[in-house]
Amino acid sequence: MTLPYRAGIAAAVSVMALAMAMPTASAASLQDVNGHTDNWLNEGSATVTFDNGTTLTRQSDVLEALQQCGALSVSCASTTTQDAGQVTKWYDAENTDLGTGPIQNCSPNGNDITQTITAGHTFSWGWNIGASVDVTLVKDRLGIGASAGFSQSSTEASTGAVGITVKPGQKGMLKMGYDMDRKVTNVSIQGGRFGGAQITGLRTETPLPGGKRVGQDIVPCDQQLMNGR
């Protein structure tokens, strides 16, 4: 089976090449998280226990066990053990037209700085097993993330213009977000190595349909933006 390329901990699923018309804000029920520092995916470790009693905790071993589900001779089923909720994952986006970094208006007696920005960010769907996972295997064979309506081959691109206004004493950047669905899943494997296995604690984070967001990350000059600048 050919795996998609490894991009951090996830296979890229969604690309924003922005600046675009300002959409509505994230739904009130979704929690905002800082994508630069958030580590929910890797805060829990998946394990695999084979039918012969062997338990492995290395993420490469868990991935290898999961990949068996791609074989016709192996039967696999997934069960959600925890619905960890939906979040909007935000990132500061680099300004590709005017140079990288924040717009700084740190003179208290200056004027507002208003700029139209073009920027981009690549969003990912992820797993806590340290490597990319085949989308067809995960969605079609296991049904994990099947309701999210995403695929590895599709991209979502938007174009247009986004204005950002930074007042005196502030600095800011355009920020981009995506609504993500988080779940913890167990996978039962029948057949394959040692006759079968159980994967527990598999964390997934998949993008929700229509979940693209854009906003402004603006703070006083003596504070830090989401990316730590």
Side-chain angles (χ1 to χ4, degrees):
M1 177 174 59
T2 302
L3 290 178
Y5 70 91
R6 190 179 192 282
I9 57 172
V13 67
S14 188
V15 176
M16 275 187 184
L18 284 188
M20 61 188 240
M22 187 75 70
T24 58
S26 298
S29 60
L30 270 62
Q31 175 188 358
D32 288 339
V33 298
N34 183 347
H36 297 286
T37 58
D38 178 76
N39 195 37
W40 178 84
L41 275 177
N42 293 313
E43 287 172 352
S45 297
T47 63
V48 57
T49 300
F50 291 94
D51 284 0
N52 69 349
T54 301
T55 297
L56 302 177
T57 59
R58 289 193 314 174
Q59 301 311 281
S60 58
D61 292 326
V62 179
L63 174 61
E64 183 178 358
L66 182 66
Q67 289 172 337
Q68 295 180 114
C69 296
L72 295 177
S73 59
V74 177
S75 175
C76 297
S78 65
T79 303
T80 298
T81 60
Q82 179 187 351
D83 187 341
Q86 298 176 352
V87 301
T88 302
K89 201 167 184 178
W90 291 98
Y91 295 86
D92 285 329
E94 298 291 354
N95 185 341
T96 56
D97 280 351
L98 304 174
T100 61
I103 299 170
Q104 301 195 52
N105 193 8
C106 293
S107 173
N109 299 319
N111 298 317
D112 291 0
I113 297 177
T114 300
Q115 292 182 353
T116 298
I117 294 177
T118 300
H121 185 81
T122 299
F123 291 87
S124 301
W125 65 273
W127 302 77
N128 66 334
I129 53 178
S132 301
V133 180
D134 184 84
V135 175
T136 300
L137 165 66
V138 170
K139 287 189 65 178
D140 297 347
R141 296 295 302 273
L142 298 179
I144 299 175
S147 62
F150 72 94
S151 69
Q152 184 195 350
S153 59
S154 67
T155 60
E156 296 189 43
S158 300
T159 59
V162 173
I164 180 172
T165 299
V166 182
K167 296 185 175 298
Q170 295 180 335
K171 60 184 177 182
M173 297 184 73
L174 185 71
K175 67 177 183 179
M176 297 179 184
Y178 217 110
D179 298 342
M180 309 293 284
D181 187 39
R182 292 174 163 178
K183 286 183 169 57
V184 182
T185 302
N186 290 349
V187 178
S188 177
I189 303 173
Q190 295 183 348
R193 184 180 179 188
F194 301 133
Q198 178 82 8
I199 295 174
T200 59
L202 186 64
R203 293 194 176 197
T204 63
E205 185 177 69
T206 54
L208 293 167
K212 291 182 294 185
R213 309 290 174 188
V214 63
Q216 301 181 26
D217 182 17
I218 297 177
V219 298
C221 286
D222 60 352
Q223 296 183 16
Q224 289 187 339
L225 297 164
M226 290 191 305
N227 60 11
R229 298 186 186 180

